[in-house]
Amino acid sequence: MIGLACVVCDATYPADFAGYVCPRHGDEGILDVQYDYDQIGSTFTKESLAENHNHTMWRYGPLLPIASDSRVPPLTVGGTPMYNAPRLASIAGVSRVWVKDEGRQPTASLKDRASAIAVAKALDWGADVVTTASTGNAAAALAGMAASVDLDSVIFVPASAPEAKIAQLLAYGSTVVLVEGSYTDAFGLCMEAAAEYGWYNRNTGYNPYMTEGKKTAGLEILEDLGWEVPGAIFVSVGDGSIIGGVHKAVKDALALGWIDIAPRIFGIQAAGSDYLVQAFESGEDVLTKPAIAADTVADSISADLPRDRVKAMAAVTETGGAYLRVSDDEILAAIPQLARGSGVFAEPAGAASYAGLLAASKRGLVGAEDSVVVLATGSGLKDVASALQAVAAAGTEPIRVEPTLDALKAALGGEASSAQSDSGMRDAIR
Ligand SMILES: *Cc1c(COP(=O)(O)O)cnc(C)c1O
Ligand SMILES: [Zn+2]
C-alpha cells in the first residue's frame, strides 16, 4: 500500500494517514487505497498464489492494506466455496452459473472480510473499542471479529433488524444500541459517537479499508475460475461497498496482468431501495442526487443513500454492466429457487443477486454464451422470518402427521385432497 486517494478530488494521502476520509470533502470524500503494483507483482504472482496453502483471505496479503506482521483475527475468513449450478444455468439461459456461498463465513455473511480488516487496523492503531452502524451483518461481523481478539465493540443497528442478527451481536458480547429509526439514523448516531469517544470506526462507505477486505471475494472468484474472466458477476447492492470491492479485485488483477479484460459487473437493488438504479437510468450525479426513502424485505440492502455510491457506480459503468432492480416478491421467490437449484440457502439480500440474474436474462443482457457468477452474500439463517414468508409464497408447506406410518402414508398421497394431488406429493417430498 502506498497511499490513499479521494474518490471525489483525487487528492492523495500517505499510507500512514491517520484519518478516514479526505479532509476537503468530509464524509463524501471516501478514500481508495493505492498500491505499487510493479513492486507487488515482482514477488506476488499467480504461481506463488497457487503454491500458497493458506486459503483464507490473508492469502492476498500483498494486496491488502495491512503489514505482513499485523495481528489479524484468528477466525477463518474467506476461502468460501463456489458451486457450479447447472440447473440454475438452464433456468437463466446461460452457459454456466457459479454460486459463491458467503453464508459460509464465521458470522455467516461476506461482511467478515471487511470486519477482519477493521479489527486488524484497530489493533494496529491501538484502539480499545471498535464501532459500526449496520443493518445487521456488518455489525455481527465486527462483533465476532472483535470477540475473537478480545476487543470491545459498540454496535448501532436499526431496532427493526432481524432477530437472528441481534442475537448474534448479543452473544458476541457487544454493547448493542438499538436505534429507533432507519439505518441512516443509526449511521449518523454511530458517527457522532465514534468522534465523541474516539472509537475505531468501521463504518461502511467511510472507512477506506473495508473495500479492500471485501475485494478478496472478487479475487477468490477470479482465482477459482483459473483467472478466466466470467461473462458477468451479479452482486446485490445496498451501500455499494461489496460491489466496489469486487470491482477493486478486478482492477488489481488487471493492474497485475493476471486478467486482460474486466468481467461485466451487475448491481442488483431492491425496487424499494433503488437509488443506484435510478441514478444509472437517469445519469444523475450520485454526489448531488438526494437520498430516497428505502423500504424492502431485503434489510441488508436497504439504503436511503448508498454510502459508497461513487465506487458503486464506477463498478458498473467502467465494466459495461448495469444496475437492475428486482421486486421484493422476486427476491423472496429467489430464496427457494436458489436453495433448490444449488443447495445454497441465502437471506433475501443474498438471493437478490440470483433474482437479478433472472432479470438480466429476461432483458437479454446475458445469454447462452455467458458463464456468470452469483454472489450469495449471506446465510438464509440470518432471517428466518423472510425465509418462511418465501416458502409460503412458493406454496411449500410442511406435512403434519401423527407419529405413525399409516398417517404418513395417508398424508403422502393416498388421497388426492385439494392440496395434495400427485404433483402435490412430489412437492411434499421435495
Ligand atoms: C451488506 C450486504 C449486502 C450489500 O453490501 P453493500 O456493500 O452494502 O452494498 C448484500 N448482502 C448482504 C447479505 C449483506 O450483508
Ligand atoms: Zn477530496
Side-chain angles (χ1 to χ4, degrees), residues 6 9 22 24-25:
C6 173
C9 71
C22 173
R24 285 190 233 168
H25 288 98

Side-chain angles (χ1 to χ4, degrees), residues 42-224:
S42 67
T43 52
F44 187 59
T45 63
K46 288 191 231 183
E47 293 71 30
S48 72
L49 259 180
E51 283 162 17
N52 184 347
H53 295 297
N54 177 346
H55 291 289
T56 68
M57 64 181 275
W58 308 113
R59 69 193 270 98
Y60 304 109
L63 288 171
L64 293 175
I66 55 167
S68 55
D69 58 353
S70 289
R71 185 168 162 223
V72 302
L75 299 175
T76 301
V77 183
T80 56
M82 189 159 76
Y83 303 114
N84 183 6
R87 276 172 290 144
L88 297 183
S90 90
I91 293 170
V94 294
S95 74
R96 199 163 277 209
V97 171
W98 296 99
V99 180
K100 183 153 177 77
D101 183 12
E102 289 290 311
R104 290 279 296 271
Q105 298 281 11
T107 79
S109 86
L110 185 146
K111 297 297 197 302
D112 285 341
R113 298 178 186 271
S115 291
I117 298 271
V119 163
K121 277 281 173 196
L123 293 171
D124 202 30
W125 288 20
D128 298 321
V129 179
V130 291
T131 191
T132 196
S134 163
T135 57
N137 285 339
L142 187 64
M145 294 300 138
S148 78
V149 297
D150 197 19
L151 201 60
D152 287 338
S153 57
V154 183
I155 303 295
F156 297 79
V157 286
S160 60
E163 263 188 330
K165 298 182 182 182
I166 295 173
Q168 267 185 304
L169 297 172
L170 294 167
Y172 286 128
S174 299
T175 301
V176 179
V177 184
L178 295 183
V179 179
E180 299 291 352
S182 67
Y183 167 54
T184 304
D185 298 322
F187 188 94
L189 181 58
C190 177
M191 292 291 286
E192 283 185 65
E196 176 77 15
Y197 296 103
W199 300 330
Y200 186 80
N201 189 329
R202 178 234 180 268
N203 274 313
T204 300
Y206 180 72
N207 186 316
Y209 304 114
M210 301 304 91
T211 306
E212 304 304 305
K214 288 169 182 164
K215 82 180 177 187
T216 60
L219 290 168
E220 285 177 13
I221 289 170
L222 296 172
E223 190 181 5
D224 280 353

Side-chain angles (χ1 to χ4, degrees), residues 5-13 21-26 28-31:
C6 173
V7 298
V8 180
C9 71
D10 284 334
T12 56
Y13 299 92
V21 290
C22 173
R24 285 190 233 168
H25 288 98
E28 308 308 328
I30 295 171
L31 300 174

Side-chain angles (χ1 to χ4, degrees), residues 174-391:
S174 299
T175 301
V176 179
V177 184
L178 295 183
V179 179
E180 299 291 352
S182 67
Y183 167 54
T184 304
D185 298 322
F187 188 94
L189 181 58
C190 177
M191 292 291 286
E192 283 185 65
E196 176 77 15
Y197 296 103
W199 300 330
Y200 186 80
N201 189 329
R202 178 234 180 268
N203 274 313
T204 300
Y206 180 72
N207 186 316
Y209 304 114
M210 301 304 91
T211 306
E212 304 304 305
K214 288 169 182 164
K215 82 180 177 187
T216 60
L219 290 168
E220 285 177 13
I221 289 170
L222 296 172
E223 190 181 5
D224 280 353
L225 295 176
W227 307 103
E228 297 246 347
V229 175
I233 303 178
F234 286 83
V235 185
S236 57
V237 177
D239 273 328
S241 177
I242 293 178
I243 197 169
V246 169
H247 188 214
K248 186 67 177 283
V250 165
K251 289 190 288 186
D252 283 357
L254 283 169
L256 287 164
W258 294 356
I259 57 175
D260 46 28
I261 184 177
R264 288 179 299 159
I265 300 176
F266 287 85
I268 310 305
Q269 293 206 289
S273 178
D274 64 348
Y275 180 102
L276 286 158
V277 189
Q278 290 181 19
F280 180 76
E281 288 174 350
S282 67
E284 278 167 282
D285 182 348
V286 294
L287 284 174
T288 51
K289 179 177 167 58
I292 62 169
D295 179 25
T296 168
V297 67
D299 64 296
S300 299
I301 51 172
S302 183
D304 299 337
L305 185 65
R307 307 294 324 169
D308 232 344
R309 56 199 180 279
V310 174
K311 289 181 188 174
M313 188 53 77
V316 162
T317 56
E318 290 178 16
T319 64
Y323 268 101
L324 302 174
R325 62 171 74 72
V326 289
S327 69
D328 277 4
D329 284 347
E330 289 170 310
I331 290 172
L332 288 176
I335 293 174
Q337 281 180 29
L338 180 64
R340 290 162 201 196
S342 71
V344 174
F345 176 32
E347 68 166 269
S353 50
Y354 175 68
L357 164 61
L358 297 182
S361 167
K362 217 174 278 170
R363 287 174 48 172
L365 297 171
V366 291
E369 68 290 355
D370 289 308
S371 163
V372 309
V373 175
V374 167
L375 194 55
T377 40
S379 165
L381 295 176
K382 289 277 196 173
D383 185 356
V384 171
S386 292
L388 287 171
Q389 202 186 329
V391 292

